[in-house]
């Protein structure tokens, strides 16, 4: 029996309902552009996925500007500084004093909740739990096809936004791509725990045993990470061993960890990937579909937002004014900011993580840390990159 096929049309088809895809739909709607979002996962999965939570100042400013700042202002945690721990001491980088900017702790799933609420209020269409997604005719009259509830759908559009992450179909739809890659051969063992934070600000620790990070999601939930060898499984460390390693690497006279139930754990390899092309025909890539950076610099989600700002401006110019200039320059306009963030993430990663058997690199790491914490100029460069570089173009709503 043949699967029935339903045909539909929209201006922009967006593949992926993570923050990049949802924000793209929101910014396009503010400019009067219709879109449909299709997502392989369920709505509950998108809302329950606890991932990135550090927002740069330009991202926070944008969310307020486009009507997504009410709950953000009420429930987020703003940090004026960040702590670097090494050689048994804690050193504070005063982000606000050095740059006038801050970072904000507000989880990716919270942004997704705000965006979904805005979409539902605006009557936008999002189709969850789709399968067999295909992208065709990308150079002339794109078609996004997928299966949903036993029915095959063909969605014709003017533009496709590929925001379906590193394992989605969008990246592979760019022919002859030559992504630049870098593997760090280490991983982060991350936990989400029910306990109060031990510090009012994030603590990045360089320790002879390996890197550790103490972060938070709420005043009662902490997010903490340990450097582990690549290939480590979540079952390789018991709760007791996780807390023991965290204490050894993070604790000092000013930091005393509170333990609590571990409610989530995951292992993420540290790797880098940047696509050499973020556009193919009428397909534009955004977020993890276009680039992956190590999480050390807290850039992944922020880079996705930067992509979407450039993307929404380019799509609006094409569809509303018939001007393809920004659309055709999308790769060039987006990649400048991407490579700056990739460099900062690589720099932080190599400065803070233990490299087995490399005494020369260990000496370089300490030299860099002493410079960042001892030089106003070096601290300012760190703070400027950490709190967020300006977007490649302004938001034009």
């Amino acid at each position: 029996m043949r699967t029935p096929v339903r045909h539909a049309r929209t201006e922009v088809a967006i593949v992926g309902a993570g923050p990049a895809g949802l924000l793209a739909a929101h910014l396009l709607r503010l400019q009067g552009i219709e879109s449909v979002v299709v997502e392989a996962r369920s709505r509950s999965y998108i809302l329950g996925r606890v991932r990135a939570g550090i927002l740069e100042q330009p991202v926070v400013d944008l969310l307020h500007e486009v009507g997504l700042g009410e709950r953000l202002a009420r429930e987020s945690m703003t940090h004026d500084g960040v702590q670097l721990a090494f050689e048994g001491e804690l050193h504070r980088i005063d982000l606000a004093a050095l740059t006038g900017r801050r970072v904000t702790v507000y989880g990716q799933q919270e942004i997704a909740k705000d965006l979904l609420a805005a979409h539902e209020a605006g009557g936008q269409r999002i189709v969850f739990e789709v399968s067999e997604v295909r992208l065709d005719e990308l150079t002339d009259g794109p078609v996004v096809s997928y299966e949903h509830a036993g029915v095959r759908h063909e969605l014709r559009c003017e533009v496709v936004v590929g925001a379906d992450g590193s394992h989605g179909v969008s990246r592979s739809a760019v022919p002859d791509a030559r992504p630049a890659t870098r593997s760090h051969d280490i991983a982060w063992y991350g936990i989400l725990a029910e306990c109060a934070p031990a510090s009012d600000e994030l603590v990045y620790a360089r320790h002879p045993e390996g890197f550790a990070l103490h972060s938070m999601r709420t005043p009662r939930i902490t997010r903490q990470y340990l450097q582990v060898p690549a290939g480590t499984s979540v079952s390789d460390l018991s709760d007791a061993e996780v807390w023991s390693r965290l204490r050894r690497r993070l604790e000092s006279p000013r930091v005393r960890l509170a333990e609590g139930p571990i409610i989530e754990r995951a292992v993420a390899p540290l790797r880098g990937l940047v696509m050499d092309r973020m556009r193919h025909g009428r397909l534009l890539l955004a977020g993890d579909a276009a680039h992956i950076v190590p999480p050390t610099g807290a850039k992944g989600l922020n880079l996705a937002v930067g992509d979407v700002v450039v993307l929404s401006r380019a799509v609006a110019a094409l569809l509303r004014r018939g001007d393809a200039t920004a659309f055709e320059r999308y790769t060039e306009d987006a990649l400048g900011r991407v490579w700056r963030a990739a460099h900062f993430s690589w720099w932080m990663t190599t400065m803070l993580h233990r490299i087995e058997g490399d005494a020369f690199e260990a000496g370089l790491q300490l030299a860099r840390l002493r410079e960042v914490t001892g030089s106003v100029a070096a601290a300012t460069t760190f703070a400027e990159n950490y709190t967020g570089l300006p977007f490649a173009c302004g938001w034009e709503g």
Side-chain angles (χ1 to χ4, degrees):
M1 183 177 177
R2 295 181 60 186
T3 302
V5 179
R6 293 181 183 172
H7 301 273
R9 179 173 289 277
T10 189
E11 289 185 287
V12 179
I14 300 173
V15 185
L22 293 174
L23 183 60
H26 183 74
L27 296 187
L28 291 171
R29 180 174 67 85
L30 294 180
Q31 298 174 98
I33 296 172
E34 177 192 50
S35 68
V36 174
V37 181
V38 297
E39 167 59 49
R41 304 285 190 170
S42 67
R43 189 179 190 276
S44 60
Y45 177 88
I46 295 297
L47 292 178
R49 180 172 50 178
V50 180
R51 294 182 68 189
I54 306 300
L55 303 183
E56 299 172 347
Q57 188 70 60
V59 172
V60 173
D61 294 342
L62 173 75
L63 294 175
H64 283 287
E65 186 178 348
V66 300
L68 298 168
E70 181 181 352
R71 199 163 66 90
L72 169 66
R74 187 172 65 249
E75 299 183 12
S76 65
M77 295 182 287
T78 301
H79 290 180
D80 288 346
V82 65
Q83 308 279 349
L84 300 178
F86 62 97
E87 296 184 305
E89 296 184 6
L90 204 60
H91 306 262
R92 184 172 187 266
I93 305 295
D94 194 329
L95 305 173
L98 291 166
T99 67
R101 303 195 300 267
R102 298 161 174 80
V103 294
T104 299
V105 177
Y106 193 66
Q108 173 175 304
Q109 76 280 6
E110 304 304 328
I111 295 175
K113 289 176 186 177
D114 297 338
L115 282 163
L116 284 171
H119 285 8
E120 291 167 356
Q124 288 183 279
R125 187 180 176 204
I126 304 177
V127 186
F128 292 101
E129 299 182 79
V130 306
S131 61
E132 303 299 326
V133 179
R134 285 188 51 181
L135 311 182
D136 295 300
E137 302 176 43
L138 293 172
T139 59
D140 184 19
V143 178
V144 175
S145 58
Y146 58 92
E147 290 190 11
H148 178 67
V151 177
R152 189 71 186 170
H153 295 257
E154 288 190 354
L155 181 62
R156 292 196 171 272
C157 56
E158 299 296 322
V159 173
V160 179
V161 173
D164 50 347
S166 58
H167 302 294
V169 301
S170 299
R171 181 191 294 174
S172 60
V174 179
D176 303 319
R178 297 182 301 275
T181 62
R182 173 65 57 88
S183 173
H184 295 279
D185 200 33
I186 52 180
W188 276 14
Y189 191 107
I191 66 166
L192 200 67
E194 293 181 345
C195 57
S199 169
D200 292 336
E201 297 169 342
L202 273 69
V203 180
Y204 289 84
R206 180 202 178 274
H207 188 273
E209 289 186 6
F211 168 80
L213 170 61
H214 181 73
S215 181
M216 61 286 294
R217 288 297 174 266
T218 74
R220 294 177 298 278
I221 300 291
T222 62
R223 188 72 160 168
Q224 306 186 65
Y225 298 94
L226 290 164
Q227 176 186 346
V228 294
T232 298
S233 168
V234 292
S235 62
D236 289 345
L237 297 182
S238 66
D239 288 13
E241 180 63 19
V242 168
W243 288 114
S244 176
R245 293 190 187 188
L246 286 170
R247 283 195 302 270
R248 289 197 302 271
R249 299 183 193 184
L250 284 166
E251 286 198 334
S252 70
R254 292 162 55 193
V255 176
R256 286 286 181 262
L257 296 182
E259 295 186 17
I262 297 176
I263 56 179
E264 180 184 292
R265 64 182 76 210
V267 177
L270 270 63
R271 59 194 178 99
L273 180 148
V274 178
M275 291 287 285
D276 63 327
R277 286 186 292 149
M278 293 174 62
R279 180 183 73 87
H280 169 60
R282 290 296 184 97
L283 167 67
L284 304 180
L285 302 181
D288 287 357
H291 40 71
I292 301 289
V293 296
T296 323
K299 295 302 175 193
L301 173 60
N302 295 289
L303 273 184
V305 174
D307 292 344
V308 170
V309 170
V310 179
L311 178 153
S312 62
R313 176 177 177 269
V315 171
L318 177 70
L319 299 186
R320 288 296 174 263
R321 301 192 297 277
D323 183 354
T325 304
F327 193 90
E328 293 173 354
R329 282 191 51 83
Y330 173 62
T331 293
E332 293 84 354
D333 289 343
L335 277 185
R337 194 171 192 271
V338 170
W339 276 116
R340 284 287 301 274
H343 173 264
F344 181 69
S345 297
W346 168 85
W347 178 80
M348 281 198 69
T349 299
T350 56
M351 181 174 66
L352 292 166
H353 289 75
R354 181 174 185 267
I355 300 176
E356 188 74 31
D358 194 335
F360 191 86
E361 183 63 31
L364 294 178
Q365 289 175 340
L366 288 172
R368 278 177 275 176
L369 283 163
R370 290 166 185 155
E371 180 182 29
V372 169
T373 56
S375 162
V376 173
T380 301
T381 298
F382 173 92
E384 287 175 346
N385 282 274
Y386 193 79
T387 58
L389 300 170
F391 294 132
C393 66
W395 156 245
E396 298 179 358

